[in-house]
């Protein structure tokens, strides 16, 4: 006859076996020293040593240097490497663009280096569409300078999304302008934060109007969102709001003179519904589930740091592709995540 102790022992063994069968991992599988080493890393170290985040930052810089118009190239380089807002009298760290995320919380490109990845992804998509225009429609002379500059700058104000190294979360500055839009207006009002800052800054610095509009067009469809004056929405409303901040006359899009490049720009950035709600949120969820399985509170600052670390080593898009190609088996993608937490050497480069 089995004793209660014996029954309890076999019950525990069965639960452990079940966890492994279903893709779970045992607490303690990752050493404390390894976890402490990850927690001690700064977000800048993560961005600089992640092979794929480094590669995308370098690719973005190569695109910037390829801008043929010297004035536009100098403007973009200055804003990326010496970020400051003349309008709000604010400066950011000179390395901010290579460290900050493209979203303020778990979602699209929310990891160290995410902003540069987001810009590079959008540039490559837009230039691919430009190549399609040439191949299919025999369209020559697409303005690549405008595409590259606008997509590097469209989320530029997020250089002030500063990582709190203690919590692994992002702090948004208090001086960011309020969201615009009248009562009941919701579609575009969130662009009053980071969007308003960069449109206004470009106007203040005397950037070419085509570039100012192209940058704003990354967030506003130049047809559907051109003018919704009755609701204080749309592209022209955004430009008018930015012009108030810059204290300059507001540019207005002439509906008979719209650049084809603006659509290449907006529909590259429009992919954020996948990058945010599908790839990004799924990746953050899986990493926190793995954290729980190895004995880390999934809501803790340590879990936040694990997520930032993993996603600076492997793209959330890549994790989702692993999940999808495995027949939507979470156990497979979580095994990948665990392997990176345990040993990430093959995903890393020496910091420069």
């Amino acid at each position: 006859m089995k004793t209660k102790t014996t029954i309890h022992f076999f019950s525990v063994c069965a639960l452990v076996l079940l966890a492994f069968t279903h893709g779970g991992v045992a607490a303690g599988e990752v050493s404390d020293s390894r976890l402490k080493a990850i927690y001690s890393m700064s977000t800048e170290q993560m961005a600089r040593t992640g092979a794929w985040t480094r590669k995308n930052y370098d690719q973005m810089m190569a695109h910037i240097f390829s801008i043929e118009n010297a004035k536009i190239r100098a403007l973009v380089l200055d804003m990326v490497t010496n970020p400051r807002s003349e309008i709000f009298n604010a400066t950011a760290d000179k390395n901010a663009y290579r460290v900050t995320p493209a979203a303020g919380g778990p979602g699209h490109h929310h990891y160290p280096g995410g902003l540069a990845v987001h810009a590079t992804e959008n540039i490559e998509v837009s230039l691919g569409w430009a190549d399609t225009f040439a191949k299919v429609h025999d369209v020559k002379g697409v303005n690549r300078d405008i595409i590259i500059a606008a997509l590097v700058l469209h989320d530029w104000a997020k250089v002030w999304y500063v990582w709190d190294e203690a919590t692994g979360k992002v702090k948004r500055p208090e001086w960011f302008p309020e969201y615009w839009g009248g009562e009941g207006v919701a579609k575009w009002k969130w662009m009053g934060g980071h969007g308003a800052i960069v449109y206004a800054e470009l106007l203040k610095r005397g950037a070419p109007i085509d570039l100012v509009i192209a940058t704003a067009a990354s967030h506003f469809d130049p047809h559907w969102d051109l003018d919704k004056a009755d609701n204080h929405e749309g592209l022209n409303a955004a430009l008018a709001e930015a012009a108030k901040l810059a204290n300059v006359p507001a540019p207005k899009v002439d509906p008979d003179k719209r650049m084809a490049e603006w659509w290449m720009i907006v529909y590259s950035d429009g992919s954020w519904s996948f990058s945010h709600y599908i790839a990004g949120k799924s990746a953050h969820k899986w990493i926190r589930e793995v954290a729980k399985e190895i004995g880390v509170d999934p809501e803790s600052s340590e879990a936040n740091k694990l997520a930032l670390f993993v996603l600076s080593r492997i793209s959330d898009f890549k994790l989702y592709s692993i999940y999808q190609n495995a027949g939507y088996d979470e156990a497979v993608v979580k095994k990948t995540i665990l392997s990176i937490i345990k040993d990430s050497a093959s995903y890393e480069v020496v910091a420069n």
Side-chain angles (χ1 to χ4, degrees):
M1 181 176 177
K2 294 183 176 70
T3 65
K4 288 183 179 181
T5 301
T6 304
I7 293 171
H8 177 69
F9 172 77
F10 282 111
S11 297
V12 170
C13 290
L15 287 172
V16 171
L17 179 61
L18 185 65
F20 275 104
T21 302
H22 288 81
V25 295
E29 188 166 342
V30 183
S31 69
D32 287 343
S33 61
R34 171 62 174 167
L35 290 175
K36 288 178 180 177
I38 293 173
Y39 302 152
S40 68
M41 289 184 73
S42 70
T43 50
E44 183 170 348
Q45 288 175 318
M46 291 181 188
R48 286 180 177 273
T49 57
W52 89 278
T53 50
R54 255 274 294 285
K55 179 190 75 172
N56 278 278
Y57 178 81
D58 291 344
Q59 181 64 23
M60 182 193 74
M61 294 302 294
H63 279 306
I64 294 172
F65 281 110
S66 77
I67 295 173
E68 294 182 356
N69 184 295
K71 290 184 178 179
I72 292 176
R73 183 174 65 249
L75 172 67
V76 177
L77 278 171
D78 183 54
M79 291 179 72
V80 168
T81 62
N82 185 28
R84 66 192 185 285
S85 170
E86 296 180 13
I87 294 171
F88 294 96
N89 192 29
T91 59
D93 186 89
K94 66 178 182 179
N95 294 314
Y97 204 114
R98 73 183 303 159
V99 177
T100 52
H108 81 92
H109 310 92
H110 181 72
Y111 44 80
L115 182 56
V117 170
H118 180 51
T120 302
E121 173 196 319
N122 285 357
I123 290 167
E124 296 292 346
V125 170
S126 292
L127 293 182
W129 197 356
D131 290 341
T132 299
F133 269 45
K135 292 175 183 177
V136 177
H137 301 285
D138 194 29
V139 172
K140 311 296 187 199
V142 170
N143 192 326
R144 292 171 178 257
D145 285 1
I146 288 289
I147 289 173
I148 293 168
L151 287 170
V152 170
L153 296 178
H154 81 287
D155 278 351
W156 169 78
K158 292 178 181 177
V159 295
W160 283 282
Y161 281 11
V162 179
W163 291 111
D164 182 333
E165 300 291 347
T167 64
K169 293 183 177 182
V170 166
K171 295 185 289 186
R172 183 174 177 269
E174 294 181 359
W175 57 263
F176 262 43
E178 294 296 326
Y179 300 151
W180 69 67
E183 184 177 353
V185 176
K187 185 175 181 184
W188 293 114
K189 67 180 183 180
W190 58 78
M191 295 305 173
H194 69 278
I197 294 169
V198 69
Y199 317 151
E201 191 67 25
L202 289 172
L203 287 169
K204 184 74 172 179
R205 296 190 185 202
I209 294 301
D210 283 349
L211 174 57
V212 178
I213 297 172
T215 305
S218 67
H219 298 131
F220 302 92
D221 184 295
H223 173 69
W224 301 114
D225 302 305
L226 177 59
D227 194 1
K228 300 180 178 181
D230 291 343
N231 291 326
H232 309 289
E233 293 185 65
L235 180 52
N236 279 327
L239 293 168
E241 185 76 13
K244 288 180 184 176
L245 293 171
N247 194 28
V248 299
K252 190 169 184 178
V253 177
D254 182 340
D256 294 324
K257 298 178 181 179
R258 286 178 276 194
M259 295 179 70
E261 288 83 350
W262 297 344
W263 279 272
M264 300 176 199
I265 290 167
V266 71
Y267 285 112
S268 63
D269 196 49
S271 65
W272 77 279
S273 60
F274 170 75
S275 59
H276 187 82
Y277 292 106
I278 307 303
K281 285 190 175 295
S282 296
H284 278 273
K285 176 180 77 72
W286 294 325
I287 294 167
R288 283 165 174 75
E289 288 175 356
V290 170
K292 183 177 181 180
E293 291 169 359
I294 61 174
V296 178
D297 180 352
E299 302 301 322
S300 67
S301 59
E302 289 80 9
N304 292 340
K305 293 293 288 283
L306 282 178
L308 303 184
F309 174 78
V310 170
L311 291 174
S312 66
R313 268 73 190 134
I314 187 169
S315 164
D316 40 11
F317 283 39
K318 180 70 172 179
L319 289 175
Y320 195 84
S321 74
I322 292 170
Y323 166 65
Q324 179 177 324
N325 292 337
Y328 304 103
D329 186 347
E330 289 191 347
V332 174
V333 72
K334 287 162 73 173
K335 182 178 179 181
T336 300
I337 291 167
L338 177 62
S339 71
I340 293 171
I341 293 174
K342 293 172 69 175
D343 183 1
S344 54
S346 62
Y347 297 86
E348 295 171 343
V349 292
V350 177
N352 66 351

